[in-house]
Amino acid sequence: MGQEADVPGLHPRVTLVLGGALFASFLIGVQSYALGYMTQTPDSATVAAGVQQATLAQIQQQTGQAMPPAMVQVLLDPGYSYGNGFTLLQFAVRVALLQAVLAMICGALAGALARKIGARLPLIFALILFVGASVGYAVLPHTWVVFLWVSAAFGIGFGFYYASMPILMVEAVPQEQQGISLGMLGVMQSMGVAIGLAIVTAYLNASPITAQVSVAGQPAQGSVIPQIFADHGYEMGFWFAAGASVIALVITLVMRHGRVPATGGTAY
């Protein structure tokens, strides 16, 4: 019983760091999943045209006669406002690259700040950006230019977060427990990303888009379009991530450690 106090996971300092990491990581999972899909999805006009062409081809195969395109009307229910049809390379260059560069620079900056003012304030700054980015993704127009600038803000927060959180963990435990504690932190962050992915996937599956196809004025027949989802599904995922980031921010605000210059755990 006397050894339980040495278990890093039982100390309030460690518990707060792990809890903050869990909730903060939700946005990392949601953002990395959603932006790639949203920008690589074709726009709604292209999708509707594709459904129309597929319907015309099916009618010709069945009847042996070509039908004028005007005879096939396609309506997406509901419509969606995102979609650029980017390749993976285009997404990387136009959206993700700036975020990655800023994250790299700000990670180094946060480490330097932690040596002067502690890691708690840089983490608070990071989580404020996480909350703002989540809300921005949810409410602003879903264009790649908006994604570029919101993800740039997220990239700044990402760099500050990934520099500050391990420092706070190191500062929370004795030197002989730093390895296992950082391993616990990595597990908790991976768990948060996985939960974020699961939640946004559930929201997307609950927000399908149906192609309502009317041929020659006949009543429309509906069919679900795979891998394309309504705006609402993505927006709910971002709102969920915003709420989780707020929880992580509150946890960080009540932390008692990390308020003095980081020492690498030597001052524990």
Side-chain angles (χ1 to χ4, degrees), residues 37 41-42 47 51 82 205 208-211 223-229:
Y37 271 93
T41 298
V47 171
V51 173
Y82 63 90
N205 287 334
I209 290 180
T210 301
S223 61
V224 174
I225 302 177
Q227 304 301 316
I228 299 180
F229 307 97

Side-chain angles (χ1 to χ4, degrees), residues 137-157:
Y137 285 134
V139 304
L140 295 176
H142 302 320
T143 66
W144 76 266
V145 176
V146 169
F147 290 158
L148 169 66
W149 294 114
V150 177
S151 67
F154 170 77
I156 295 172

Side-chain angles (χ1 to χ4, degrees), residues 100-128:
V101 171
L102 288 173
M104 178 177 63
I105 295 172
C106 291
L109 176 60
L113 286 173
R115 298 189 191 97
K116 297 181 178 298
I117 61 174
R120 178 176 167 272
L121 287 178
L123 182 58
I124 290 173
F125 176 66
L127 294 173
I128 290 173

Side-chain angles (χ1 to χ4, degrees), residues 64-91:
Q65 297 180 351
M67 178 176 286
M71 298 294 290
V72 177
Q73 301 297 319
V74 178
L75 176 66
L76 301 184
D77 181 30
Y80 64 96
S81 62
Y82 63 90
N84 304 103
F86 285 171
T87 64
L88 185 59
L89 179 60
Q90 287 175 321
F91 165 69

Side-chain angles (χ1 to χ4, degrees), residues 49-262:
V51 173
Q52 183 188 55
Q53 291 299 317
T55 303
L56 290 170
Q58 183 179 19
I59 292 173
Q60 185 172 5
Q61 184 179 16
Q62 292 174 348
T63 65
Q65 297 180 351
M67 178 176 286
M71 298 294 290
V72 177
Q73 301 297 319
V74 178
L75 176 66
L76 301 184
D77 181 30
Y80 64 96
S81 62
Y82 63 90
N84 304 103
F86 285 171
T87 64
L88 185 59
L89 179 60
Q90 287 175 321
F91 165 69
V93 172
R94 297 189 182 187
V95 179
L97 181 60
L98 179 60
Q99 171 188 317
V101 171
L102 288 173
M104 178 177 63
I105 295 172
C106 291
L109 176 60
L113 286 173
R115 298 189 191 97
K116 297 181 178 298
I117 61 174
R120 178 176 167 272
L121 287 178
L123 182 58
I124 290 173
F125 176 66
L127 294 173
I128 290 173
L129 289 177
F130 275 25
V131 174
S134 301
V135 174
Y137 285 134
V139 304
L140 295 176
H142 302 320
T143 66
W144 76 266
V145 176
V146 169
F147 290 158
L148 169 66
W149 294 114
V150 177
S151 67
F154 170 77
I156 295 172
F158 187 88
F160 272 78
Y161 167 81
Y162 266 105
S164 302
M165 193 63 81
I167 294 173
L168 285 170
M169 179 58 79
V170 167
E171 296 293 310
V173 297
Q175 287 182 309
E176 64 270 15
Q177 294 180 351
Q178 290 176 3
I180 188 173
S181 298
L182 289 173
M184 293 167 60
L185 176 63
V187 170
M188 196 62 67
Q189 289 173 328
S190 297
M191 187 182 301
V193 170
I195 293 173
L197 288 172
I199 293 297
V200 71
T201 300
Y203 281 130
L204 293 178
N205 287 334
S207 306
I209 290 180
T210 301
Q212 300 290 339
V213 182
S214 175
V215 180
Q218 297 297 314
Q221 300 292 322
S223 61
V224 174
I225 302 177
Q227 304 301 316
I228 299 180
F229 307 97
D231 289 2
H232 179 73
Y234 288 108
E235 290 166 358
M236 289 301 297
F238 287 126
W239 281 118
F240 170 80
S245 298
V246 169
I247 294 174
L249 178 58
V250 171
I251 291 173
T252 306
L253 289 172
V254 302
M255 281 183 183
R256 302 301 302 171
H257 76 293
R259 301 176 183 231
V260 297

